[in-house]
Amino acid sequence: MTAIIIEDEIPAARRLEKLLSEKDFTVFAIVHSVKSAVSWLKDNAHPDLIFMDIKLRDGLCFPIFDKVKIQSKVVFTTAFDEFALKAFEYNSLDYLLKPIDVAKLDKLIAKLETFKAVFYDSSYWKILETSMSDPYKASFLVNSGMSVKKISTADIPYFLSQNNTTFLCFENRKFPIQRSLEKLESELHPAHFFRISRKYVVNRKFIIEFQNDFNLRLQNSNEKFPVSRQRRSAFMAWYKE
């Protein structure tokens, strides 16, 4: 496999390059700033993976995505975890804290190999990318054991944000997805889905009871889904439509 490293700390970059070389990666380049990364990505074929530090010499890395359509899978690296949720908005394959733990790197490579086994043709990677970026998504792909499961958006009762992770909740299972609820709000059809609180986005089709205390009940769930005070008026207007 091939990779580039976008990292402003030279010792950290050299260490990662050594680790990847030991795992049979070909590292095409090491670049140290947003500007140099944009230049390299515009002028070269994109590798299989990009290991991208979040804080670079000339600022945060996220503007790179506005200037270049990245064809690679991205693994964010950083010494801080404060940007984990924002990193998930960019459909990263993983998020590694520095100094990078070899066991976690091995786990990442195993995950990639699993994906490659399932998506053995490049067209399948394209399907995955499309499913993760199109507005008003028709379906989601989630990891289910050693396979990938496709779930129709219309069949998803709700999405849950918990412990800095977003879960797609389906058939009494919680599947982690690399998205924030904010990102989901722009991808889900507003006629069918509503964010009732910081924690939940619910599917109108599955609401079976709307209680006076602004708790919802959904099909096939014993949980209560409270509508936050700040969203009650908007929810009532949405629910009446």
Side-chain angles (χ1 to χ4, degrees):
M1 283 187 283
T2 58
I4 67 166
I5 298 169
I6 302 175
E7 168 65 71
D8 64 338
E9 298 177 10
I10 294 176
R14 294 301 182 193
R15 177 176 180 269
L16 179 55
E17 181 184 31
K18 181 175 182 293
L19 290 174
L20 293 175
S21 297
E22 290 172 352
K23 299 179 187 304
D24 296 324
F25 274 78
T26 299
V27 178
F28 287 156
I30 298 174
V31 295
H32 307 295
S33 65
V34 172
K35 183 178 180 180
S36 60
V38 170
S39 177
W40 193 96
L41 290 166
K42 284 183 176 180
D43 294 339
N44 296 274
H46 293 192
D48 297 315
L49 282 178
I50 297 175
F51 289 84
M52 185 181 298
D53 189 14
I54 291 180
K55 289 186 175 181
L56 298 169
R57 291 179 178 176
D58 50 353
L60 297 180
C61 69
F62 302 117
I64 295 172
F65 294 86
D66 298 326
K67 297 176 181 179
V68 183
K69 185 175 181 180
I70 294 179
Q71 306 296 324
S72 312
K73 302 304 166 194
V74 176
V75 178
F76 287 106
T77 64
T78 183
F80 310 95
D81 61 3
E82 61 190 285
F83 295 105
L85 191 58
K86 185 169 181 62
F88 288 152
E89 296 177 14
Y90 291 88
N91 301 326
S92 60
L93 182 65
D94 213 330
Y95 182 96
L96 299 177
L97 289 175
K98 297 190 296 185
I100 292 173
D101 182 85
V102 176
K104 291 183 178 179
L105 181 61
D106 287 339
K107 186 176 179 180
L108 164 67
I109 293 171
K111 180 194 295 188
L112 184 61
E113 292 294 341
T114 299
F115 276 136
K116 286 178 66 179
V118 177
F119 299 108
Y120 51 85
D121 186 275
S122 61
S123 62
Y124 286 91
W125 282 109
K126 188 64 178 178
I127 291 170
L128 177 61
E129 290 165 354
T130 301
S131 74
M132 296 177 76
S133 60
D134 285 349
Y136 300 168
K137 291 173 62 59
S139 63
F140 288 79
L141 297 180
V142 297
N143 286 330
S144 181
M146 293 300 291
S147 65
V148 173
K149 184 181 183 72
K150 183 177 181 180
I151 301 175
S152 171
T153 302
D155 295 332
I156 300 169
Y158 65 99
F159 295 87
L160 164 68
S161 177
Q162 187 176 56
N163 299 324
N164 293 323
T165 302
T166 301
F167 296 92
L168 182 161
C169 301
F170 176 74
E171 294 183 345
N172 295 317
R173 292 185 62 186
K174 297 177 180 178
F175 298 95
I177 57 174
Q178 294 184 346
R179 273 172 171 72
S180 65
L181 290 189
E182 288 78 9
K183 177 68 172 176
L184 281 171
E185 284 185 282
S186 68
E187 296 181 329
L188 300 171
H189 200 298
H192 307 306
F193 287 86
F194 189 88
R195 186 173 181 182
I196 61 171
S197 66
R198 292 182 179 180
K199 188 174 181 180
Y200 294 110
V201 172
V202 300
N203 185 341
R204 179 199 297 271
K205 185 174 76 171
F206 288 86
I207 299 174
I208 58 174
E209 187 176 38
F210 173 33
Q211 300 173 339
N212 291 335
D213 58 357
F214 280 89
N215 280 308
L216 307 181
R217 289 185 57 236
L218 303 186
Q219 291 178 28
N220 304 318
S221 176
N222 295 322
E223 291 186 52
K224 289 185 177 181
F225 297 83
V227 182
S228 69
R229 290 183 180 275
Q230 296 88 341
R231 298 173 188 267
R232 290 178 181 178
S233 295
F235 172 78
M236 289 296 295
W238 173 82
Y239 194 56
K240 290 176 181 178
E241 289 179 356

